[in-house]
Amino acid sequence: KQWYQRRVAITAGTSNMTLNTSFQSNSSFHSISSMSNLSFSTPARDSDSNYHFSASPKIRKKVSDLNNLSEYLQEYEEKEKWLSRGSSDRSLTGGWAPRPSETLPPRPYFLATQNQIVSVSGDTSYYNQQAADALLDRLGISPHSLDIWTENMRKWISQTIFQHIHREIQTINKTLDLVGSAECKIGSVSTAVLSKISATKHEHIANIALLLPYLEVSVNQEYLVNRIGELASGSCVGSFRWESGGKYKNNQWNKELPTDSQIVMHCIATYLDSHLPRNPMYPEGRTFTTQYFVQTPSKADTKKKEYALFQSSIHPPHFKLLVGDEVWEVSKGRNNLFHTLIILLYYLREEQHGMLGPVNLGPTGLN
């Protein structure tokens, strides 16, 4: 009897808990070209920065006999186990664990503020996760927004660049068949041979000269053309392997072949080269590549560049941003390249009035 009275007293005290939740969610997907329209929404908090929810166990009905007591104790044990599980989760994650029946939006992760990004006076080849987290916090970019922009960036790269390149390759190869040059198809010969064909059969395959710069990332044209076709499949470069690539003649990828990150970066740089006005300082027409892209073993000298992409490592691939007299660190791994490009676009929107040199990032420019 005393044990039962203590149980009832504990339950009565527990049933007075009142916890509330208030979430604002934004499921809209925004394109990279309209980042200025993005709005950030976060879960409501109280003065102690704790999340709230409604979970007040209540006595189901009055206990009047042993049967009722047995039912009640079983119900109470279940709720007590759930409460203890929630308490354990809070101690590990700093948040709370919802009941399986609840379907609430995931709790966003808030980055801690750091005092410093990365100085260019040090070694820019190493990786600093704290600096990468601090950069997002400093720019006010939430992880949720970064995830959405990453998906949009992958779609844009697939649809604007790789699918277009793949179609051009197929069209030109069909034309080469028709003009009696089937042995010189793209993927079967070197770019030097294709350049000569472009000069002799220009009236039939004028676009080959525009395509050639995209193919200069590797001397192994057979692998490159095949891999471009694989990256073009689907809608978001789903086969992308950031530190490796695809199979070649039924063999696994090796370091003699370009990584997917290298192929993607080269194609993006070439695309931007074709959209920026020619600069007499760069007669080869690679304005973006020369002015806004630095690749190891070249050193990151920010004194010569207002901003630029910086590839600090080839294997594994790692990209950073040079801005003013700073090197901006970006999280490593499979999304490093995409995140670096996104943060560059974000910087251009916020600090350069949405312009990459003289070209607008919006629909009237690079889109």
Side-chain angles (χ1 to χ4, degrees), residues 21-33:
T21 183
S22 176
F23 277 90
Q24 294 176 345
S25 62
N26 186 352
S27 60
S28 301
F29 282 70
H30 306 267
S31 65
I32 290 293
S33 61

Side-chain angles (χ1 to χ4, degrees), residues 43-343:
R45 295 179 167 190
D46 67 355
S47 59
D48 295 327
S49 298
N50 292 323
Y51 288 82
H52 297 288
F53 67 106
S54 177
S56 300
K58 297 180 180 180
I59 298 177
R60 181 167 53 87
K61 60 184 178 179
K62 184 178 178 179
V63 177
S64 58
D65 53 39
L66 291 177
N67 290 333
N68 293 152
L69 175 60
S70 177
E71 292 176 4
Y72 163 73
L73 290 177
Q74 184 179 0
E75 180 181 352
Y76 180 83
E77 289 288 348
E78 292 176 356
K79 292 180 179 179
E80 188 177 42
K81 288 180 182 179
W82 175 80
L83 287 172
S84 64
R85 184 176 68 251
S87 176
S88 174
D89 289 339
R90 284 193 293 273
S91 66
L92 294 174
T93 66
W96 55 271
R99 285 174 289 187
S101 60
E102 293 178 331
T103 56
L104 296 176
R107 173 189 171 187
Y109 172 67
F110 292 91
L111 298 167
T113 302
Q114 304 292 333
N115 296 324
Q116 183 178 345
I117 302 302
V118 174
S119 172
V120 296
S121 60
D123 179 10
T124 56
S125 64
Y126 77 97
Y127 171 71
N128 188 327
Q129 180 61 52
Q130 284 188 334
D133 291 346
L135 177 62
L136 294 179
D137 189 52
R138 170 179 168 179
L139 297 177
I141 299 176
S142 71
H144 176 65
S145 295
L146 191 60
D147 287 343
I148 292 175
W149 294 346
T150 300
E151 182 177 353
N152 291 341
M153 172 62 75
R154 294 179 69 129
K155 289 179 179 178
W156 182 84
I157 291 171
S158 173
Q159 297 169 12
T160 305
I161 298 180
F162 281 101
Q163 291 182 20
H164 180 73
I165 295 173
H166 182 57
R167 284 196 299 268
E168 283 297 320
I169 290 174
Q170 290 180 316
T171 300
I172 291 173
N173 280 344
K174 288 179 181 178
T175 304
L176 287 172
D177 270 337
L178 295 175
V179 298
S181 298
E183 72 283 358
C184 296
K185 287 183 179 180
I186 299 173
S188 301
V189 296
S190 67
T191 54
V193 173
L194 292 174
S195 183
K196 292 179 181 179
I197 294 175
S198 174
T200 57
K201 301 181 182 292
H202 180 76
E203 68 278 9
H204 300 293
I205 46 176
N207 286 346
I208 196 170
L210 300 176
L211 183 64
L212 282 176
Y214 291 96
L215 304 177
E216 293 174 356
V217 66
S218 175
V219 295
N220 192 326
Q221 291 291 288
E222 183 180 4
Y223 171 79
L224 177 62
V225 170
N226 181 69
R227 190 59 181 158
I228 287 175
E230 292 173 347
L231 291 170
S233 63
S235 62
C236 60
V237 288
S239 62
F240 176 80
R241 302 292 178 266
W242 71 280
E243 60 181 347
S244 59
K247 289 185 176 181
Y248 176 54
K249 295 182 177 179
N250 294 324
N251 295 319
Q252 295 296 325
W253 179 91
N254 61 75
K255 289 187 178 181
E256 294 181 358
L257 302 171
T259 63
D260 284 352
S261 291
Q262 191 174 350
I263 294 173
V264 171
M265 183 65 241
H266 174 82
C267 289
I268 290 175
T270 303
Y271 175 84
L272 295 175
D273 286 335
S274 68
H275 284 74
L276 289 175
R278 284 184 172 268
N279 189 321
M281 294 179 61
Y282 317 118
E284 294 182 355
R286 291 193 171 277
T287 303
F288 177 86
T289 299
T290 308
Q291 190 171 356
Y292 300 111
F293 183 42
V294 180
Q295 189 176 28
T296 188
S298 299
K299 299 298 183 181
D301 186 359
T302 58
K303 295 180 180 179
K304 296 182 180 180
K305 299 179 183 294
E306 184 177 3
Y307 56 87
L309 289 163
F310 174 45
Q311 184 173 5
S312 61
S313 173
I314 303 296
H315 295 293
H318 187 71
F319 297 85
K320 307 180 182 186
L321 280 176
L322 309 180
V323 179
D325 60 352
E326 294 179 340
V327 176
W328 286 7
E329 186 64 80
V330 182
S331 294
K332 66 179 180 179
R334 62 188 180 89
N335 285 322
N336 168 257
L337 173 57
F338 303 125
H339 288 178
T340 306
L341 292 167
I342 288 168
I343 293 173

